[in-house]
Amino acid sequence: NQNNKCFLYGYGAYGIEDDSEFDRYLFSLLDRGFTYVIAHVRGGGFYGEKWYRDGKMLNKLNSFKDFIECAEYLIKNNYTTSNKLTAYGASAGGLLMGGVINMRPDLFNLVIMGVPFVDVLSEMCDKKTPLTTGEYIEWGNPYKKEEYNYMLKYDPIRNINNNYHYPNILIFSNKNDTLVGYWVPYNYYLKIKEANVFKTGKKEVLLDIKTQYGHSGSSDRFEAMTHIAEIYSCVMNFNN
């Protein structure tokens, strides 16, 4: 029913298939009344190669539209409401989150962006960054006008609107990240926190940058558990 709290996960890039699998940490949410959902958006590989191609390069907007439609489905069919809905994505999934809240800032209560690729054009125009030239086949080549303009449509940091009623946001990153430098989410944070909804205190935007980890976080079991506990405690705080 609509009283259910809901946690919606998405990634949607590189043709990666997000299969359902056992996760011992999820019981912390399930035992507290959350419904856990995976959004298999285009750009991922759940439905094969065409599903992947339909969510990359000049089709990338389909990934955002699919995630929004999944959220709308959950609300329309009484699984939850927008004020009880949390969205989560990391890395390219963080890009997904950043694009989605610019298109539908009203749809979620909390959005979590982990090591998020939220400054697409700055990174893609810098050929010295680790992923850039190899990423042209995923996002597009910014030195081609059509592809540059398309990326400009969804680039999260360039589509921030200070008048949007954004949801609560948690951003986390790691200082030794060699794939998405910590300055990317940090610069995004500096810009989005100027939105009126945050300046007036109606919503909160939180930033957590760890000083000793890389893109995937700590390889130490207990440190990794602590990190997940921090994320889930934030989820529970905004959905109590």
Side-chain angles (χ1 to χ4, degrees):
N1 59 60
Q2 287 188 326
N3 291 323
N4 287 340
K5 295 167 283 190
C6 189
F7 190 100
L8 177 62
Y9 169 81
Y11 185 76
Y14 305 107
I16 292 176
E17 184 177 334
D18 290 310
D19 285 327
S20 300
E21 60 184 10
F22 179 78
D23 185 339
R24 64 184 181 273
Y25 301 120
L26 282 183
F27 291 101
S28 296
L29 296 179
L30 302 181
D31 289 344
R32 291 168 172 83
F34 281 83
T35 301
Y36 184 82
V37 184
I38 301 173
H40 296 291
V41 303
R42 281 174 286 182
F46 193 75
Y47 289 112
E49 180 66 20
K50 186 178 185 303
W51 194 254
Y52 166 46
R53 293 197 306 270
D54 285 348
K56 64 182 290 190
M57 294 186 70
L58 297 178
N59 294 318
K60 188 59 195 172
L61 281 169
N62 288 334
S63 300
F64 310 120
K65 293 174 182 178
D66 287 353
F67 193 84
I68 289 170
E69 190 166 337
C70 288
E72 290 176 333
Y73 177 90
L74 293 170
I75 295 170
K76 181 180 178 181
N77 289 275
N78 295 325
Y79 285 96
T80 189
T81 60
S82 59
N83 64 356
K84 295 181 180 292
L85 181 56
T86 295
Y88 173 80
S91 194
L95 162 62
L96 177 66
M97 298 300 107
V100 163
I101 62 172
N102 283 330
M103 296 171 69
R104 286 293 306 275
D106 61 304
L107 203 50
F108 305 94
N109 176 44
L110 171 66
V111 169
I112 304 170
M113 304 179 188
V115 291
F117 185 50
V118 283
D119 190 351
V120 178
L121 283 174
S122 292
E123 296 295 293
M124 294 303 295
C125 287
D126 184 358
K127 294 181 180 180
K128 295 180 180 179
T129 56
L131 294 176
T132 298
T133 54
E135 294 287 277
Y136 286 172
I137 61 173
E138 183 69 27
W139 316 112
N141 184 345
Y143 296 98
K144 296 181 179 180
K145 185 176 181 180
E146 180 184 18
E147 295 175 19
Y148 177 95
N149 288 336
Y150 191 84
M151 284 186 275
L152 186 62
K153 290 180 181 179
Y154 67 79
D155 190 350
I157 197 169
R158 285 169 177 80
N159 287 282
I160 291 173
N161 187 320
N162 288 343
N163 293 319
Y164 284 172
H165 194 77
Y166 287 109
N168 297 294
I169 298 175
L170 169 63
I171 306 165
F172 67 85
S173 182
N174 301 303
K175 191 174 181 181
N176 295 319
D177 191 334
T178 58
L179 300 183
V180 180
Y182 72 89
W183 55 87
V184 174
Y186 180 66
N187 289 334
Y188 176 84
Y189 165 78
L190 291 178
K191 185 170 182 180
I192 200 167
K193 75 183 182 69
E194 296 302 312
N196 295 330
V197 69
F198 301 124
K199 296 187 75 172
T200 58
K202 294 179 181 178
K203 298 287 184 177
E204 295 185 52
V205 54
L206 309 173
L207 176 68
D208 180 16
I209 299 179
K210 305 293 187 187
T211 59
Q212 66 268 53
Y213 307 134
H215 190 66
S216 299
S218 176
S219 59
D220 179 88
R221 176 189 176 193
F222 295 105
E223 290 178 348
M225 290 172 65
T226 298
H227 177 57
I228 293 172
E230 291 171 349
I231 294 172
Y232 284 3
S233 64
C234 184
V235 173
M236 294 169 195
N237 177 67
F238 286 107
N239 291 278
N240 52 29

